Amino acid sequence: MHGYRAERAFDGERRLPGGALVLVQDGTIVGVEPAAAPTPDGCTVTELPGVTLLPGLIDTHVHLCADGGPRALDQLAELDARAVDEIVTTSLGRHLAAGVTAVRDLGDAGWAVVDRHRGTGPGPTVVAAGPPITAVRGHCWWLGGEVAGVHPLRRAVRERVERGADVVKIMASGGVMSAATDVLDCQFTLDELRAVVDEAHAAGLPVTAHAHPLAAVERCAAAGVDGIEHGSCFVEHGFALPADLAARLVRTGTPVCPTLGRTPGVAPSGPILAVIQRLGMTWDRRLAQVAEMQEAGIRLVSGTDGGINPGKTHGVLPEAVIDLVDCGATPEQALVSATSDAARACGLAGRTGRLAAGLDAELLAVDGDPLTDVSALRAVRAVVSRGRPVRPDGTVSDVR
């Protein structure tokens, strides 16, 4: 047995007023005691003075196959399996180094993540969607998920079930990073979206939908999707959040991942600048829109779109949590969005996202107190992934 003792702790839902001594055995949390509790016989303890101990963070929206370069998504059609696997391995290491111990991959290239990077070995826990379902020559079609029509859409869902995907991702609208699509266009009808949701739910899988324009967000909500990615609510000149849509999302508890977080010091790429010029959707306006969602009581979870370009590198999740506080969330609410609530959104609530006995030993220790200054998330002191210490370069120690 090994223990981790810190004078401050956040358990994924609230502050633990007496700090915490988290006891770990065979990769599992076996006890959470106050920091002042005596050390059990035979237990060695890692003392963590001056830090806050919390669950490892969860990034609910990443693209592990994308390397964060200028052509991160476009190049995937040109790379062989070995090159893609190397990118995925590097991406996972960058998440771990930043304290992210679980990710939801929503943009697989040719099943690489589902087939080869979702096991129980060292590294972050991975929830995987496989190639996102998209329209013919639609947003990210080259990842292998283009389809048209109700019956083919149902078959596409069944394929994901058979391949062992954990979630179904559908591109309900065009996207910023696909030059041939229009970010304001819906890619599927309401009947098509309902068919995907019906087929997925019959097989026990949730559906999350990429949706930028207001029309697509409304259509996804009407179809009963289990999550909305981006949720930008774009209209021709900015964005809109109708009261009835906000009320529906609050009533159903549908999580929205606004994909905040940016790589510090990196200017927006060409496609993003084009959207800003067309719609006037500056970063400040985007934060104001997310603040409106926060004020309306919509359930927000933290995810980054990590990997898609230099402004969205892997491991930037702390910046997304910080951004959420800038949108009006309390530090506690922002931390919940990247721990316990993120775990619920990803289907991982029984495994991670909290400091609780019986869950995977996925821990993050940061200098300072993120409950009073959320930027403390940038100051990683220690990371534990399924009971194993993580080195500063994101590799996992063999020592448990």
Side-chain angles (χ1 to χ4, degrees), residues 274-307:
V275 170
I276 291 173
Q277 292 169 358
R278 176 183 174 186
L279 304 179
M281 192 63 169
T282 63
W283 184 251
D284 286 343
R285 290 196 72 191
R286 173 61 169 158
L287 292 179
Q289 186 243 358
V290 176
E292 189 174 341
M293 289 185 176
Q294 169 72 26
E295 186 175 349
I298 293 171
R299 179 182 166 201
L300 301 177
V301 294
S302 286
T304 62
D305 224 354

Side-chain angles (χ1 to χ4, degrees), residues 371-394:
L371 286 161
T372 57
D373 179 4
V374 73
S375 67
L377 290 179
R378 295 171 176 150
V380 174
R381 173 80 71 87
V383 180
V384 177
S385 174
R386 284 179 256 169
R388 297 182 177 184
V390 175
R391 303 181 184 95
D393 65 357

Side-chain angles (χ1 to χ4, degrees), residues 317-371:
L317 185 62
E319 301 301 322
V321 181
I322 293 166
D323 285 341
L324 200 54
V325 173
D326 289 340
C327 292
T330 66
E332 183 175 277
Q333 289 171 328
L335 290 173
V336 166
S337 81
T339 53
S340 59
D341 223 6
R344 283 186 280 271
C346 294
L348 294 173
R351 291 184 56 184
T352 190
R354 292 177 297 129
L355 300 181
L359 301 189
D360 289 349
E362 299 187 333
L363 314 176
L364 168 63
V366 297
D367 288 323
D369 186 355
L371 286 161

Side-chain angles (χ1 to χ4, degrees), residues 102-153:
V103 298
R104 183 171 59 169
D105 183 82
L106 296 180
D108 200 346
W111 303 99
V113 176
V114 168
D115 288 350
R116 301 190 296 277
H117 297 279
R118 205 169 42 112
T120 58
T125 298
V126 177
V127 173
I133 295 174
T134 191
V136 175
R137 290 305 187 265
H139 181 43
C140 292
W141 65 268
W142 58 90
L143 297 180
E146 58 180 344
V147 65
V150 167
H151 294 300
L153 281 165

